[in-house]
Amino acid sequence: MMAEFDLYSLRNTFEEQGVMICFNGPFSHSVIEELGEAVRRYLKSADAPKSRVTDVFSVFVEQAQNLKNYTAREDSLGPNGTLVIAREHDRYLVSSGNLVEREDAERLRSRLDDIAELDRDGLKQLYKKRLREPVEEGAGAGIGFVTMARKSPEPLKYSLRDMPDGTCFFTVSVVV
Amino acid sequence: MDKIEIEPTKSSPFVRFDPDDGVMEIGGESYPENSHEFFAPLMAWIAEFLDSKPGSAVLRVTLTYMNTSSTKYMIDILDRLEAAHGAGTPVRVEWYCDADNERTMGTVEELQEDFAMPFDVIPQEF
C-alpha cells in the first residue's frame, strides 16, 4: 500500500520557498498553455509591471518548451519534467529540471558555460547571430538560453547530475 | 493566389494574408507547439506573393508575445520583405506594440535596427 502523502509538509516547503506555481509530470503543449495563463494571471494579480510579466512568461515558455522538446526517455503521456516559479520580494525565480541524454548534457554544459562568460553586449550579439542561423526543425534550445540570460540580472545557474540509467538530470534556474 | 486566414488559438496567432491588397496581418500570441509546421506555409505564401512583383506589400504585426522560434520565423519574413524592397517592391512594416510594455517595445526596436525598408514601431493601447 502507498504511504499516506504528507501534503502539509509539502505545502510548508512551498510556502517557505515562496513557490507560486509548481508542476511535476508530463509536459504536453496544453499543459504549457494552461500553466502559462496561470502564470500571467498570478503576476497580474500581484501587480507586477507589464514588462516583468512579459519577462517571467517568456522565461517560463522557453523552459517549458525545452522540457517538452529535449527530455530523454519520455513515457506514453509525454516528457516528464519539473518546473517551479517562486517569488522572493520583487524577484521571480523560474527553475526547471528534466532528464537528458549524456551526450546532450555535454552540449548543454558548453553552451551554458559560453553564455555565462558574456556581458550584456555580448549576449545581444550572440542573440542576433543565433536569430539569423538557419531554422532547423525542432532545434532552438541554444537561442532559448540566450533569451533567458538577457532577461536576467544574474547569470543563469545550472546543474547536471549523473543518473544510474546513463541519463543526466539537468536543472536550470533563472532570476527575473 | 488564395488568401490565408487562420484563427488564433491560445498559443498561435491569427493570420490574414490577402494577395489582392498586399496586406499581411499577424497578431496575438505566438508560441505554437511546432513553429515549423505553423510558419512554413506562411513562408511559402510570402515567397510566392513577392515573386509575383506585387504593387505593394504591407506587413501589419500585432503580436502580444512571440517565443524565440517564432521570432526566428518573423525575421525570416522581414528578410524576404527587405529583399523585395531592395528589388523595387514598395514595402512597409507596421509593428504595433503595447505602449505600456517597455519590454515588447524594446524587442521590436531591436529587430528594427537591422532593416533599411520602411519599418514603423507603433505604440498602442492593448
Side-chain angles (χ1 to χ4, degrees):
Chain A
M1 221 177 95
M2 262 177 100
E4 196 178 324
F5 203 76
D6 190 354
L7 285 173
Y8 184 70
S9 79
L10 185 62
R11 177 191 161 97
N12 283 345
T13 305
F14 283 161
E15 290 197 345
E16 276 162 27
Q17 304 206 32
V19 172
M20 291 160 36
I21 287 171
C22 175
F23 183 87
N24 178 65
F27 270 78
S28 65
H29 186 65
S30 60
V31 163
I32 295 173
E33 288 178 333
E34 296 301 328
L35 283 176
E37 273 187 21
V39 170
R40 277 198 172 134
R41 260 200 310 274
Y42 193 107
L43 291 173
K44 275 182 195 147
S45 74
D47 281 330
K50 275 184 174 176
S51 52
R52 181 65 63 83
V53 179
T54 301
D55 284 346
V56 175
F57 182 76
S58 162
V59 170
F60 160 79
V61 169
E62 297 302 330
Q63 288 196 16
Q65 292 192 323
N66 279 354
L67 284 182
K68 182 172 173 296
N69 296 329
Y70 302 105
T71 293
R73 318 277 156 100
E74 70 180 75
D75 62 30
S76 58
L77 285 171
N80 255 285
T82 309
L83 190 144
V84 179
I85 302 178
R87 180 180 180 179
E88 193 184 65
H89 308 298
D90 64 340
R91 291 280 177 212
Y92 296 88
L93 182 69
V94 185
S95 315
S96 58
N98 60 308
L99 292 176
V100 296
E101 298 294 352
R102 207 159 277 174
E103 60 264 31
D104 295 334
E106 286 319 307
R107 213 164 19 240
L108 283 167
R109 189 192 299 282
S110 74
R111 272 182 176 168
L112 286 159
D113 288 346
D114 288 349
I115 289 171
E117 285 175 13
L118 299 172
D119 59 11
R120 296 275 117 204
D121 197 48
L123 286 170
K124 179 178 173 178
Q125 309 284 337
L126 180 61
Y127 176 77
K128 287 210 163 192
K129 179 169 162 267
R130 290 269 166 84
L131 275 180
R132 299 223 166 239
E133 283 167 0
V135 187
E136 291 165 55
E137 218 173 319
I143 193 171
F145 290 126
V146 184
T147 302
M148 291 185 228
R150 294 192 72 199
K151 295 192 179 297
S152 179
E154 293 175 21
L156 304 186
K157 288 200 183 79
Y158 74 93
S159 71
L160 283 160
R161 182 185 303 193
D162 285 340
M163 305 305 284
D165 67 354
T167 59
C168 287
F169 191 69
F170 169 67
T171 70
V172 61
S173 291
V174 182
V175 175
V176 183
Chain B
M1 274 186 86
D2 289 334
K3 287 181 189 177
I4 293 190
E5 293 197 27
I6 301 172
E7 293 300 315
T9 70
K10 276 181 187 165
S11 55
S12 61
F14 79 84
V15 178
R16 275 193 297 272
F17 287 180
D18 188 339
D20 298 330
D21 61 8
V23 176
M24 293 163 275
E25 285 185 273
I26 181 163
E29 298 277 85
S30 191
Y31 58 107
E33 178 163 25
N34 184 330
S35 47
H36 178 77
E37 235 173 70
F38 187 85
F39 281 98
L42 306 185
M43 304 309 301
W45 190 96
I46 289 172
E48 191 187 339
F49 173 64
L50 294 175
D51 281 348
S52 74
K53 303 272 174 221
S56 73
V58 177
L59 176 68
R60 194 168 291 147
V61 186
T62 50
L63 290 172
T64 44
Y65 170 71
M66 49 181 181
N67 67 351
T68 48
S69 48
S70 300
T71 308
K72 285 185 89 133
Y73 284 101
M74 289 307 294
I75 285 188
D76 246 28
I77 292 175
L78 293 170
D79 281 343
R80 281 168 199 263
L81 289 169
E82 176 96 341
H85 168 72
T89 301
V91 168
R92 196 169 78 242
V93 178
E94 300 168 1
W95 200 308
Y96 294 85
C97 291
D98 186 345
D100 296 332
N101 191 331
E102 61 199 54
R103 191 69 73 245
T104 47
M105 289 283 290
T107 303
V108 180
E109 282 166 354
E110 212 177 272
L111 293 182
Q112 187 191 27
E113 288 170 7
D114 296 340
F115 295 95
M117 63 187 159
F119 188 147
D120 293 320
V121 181
I122 305 157
Q124 188 184 261
E125 295 301 319
F126 267 77

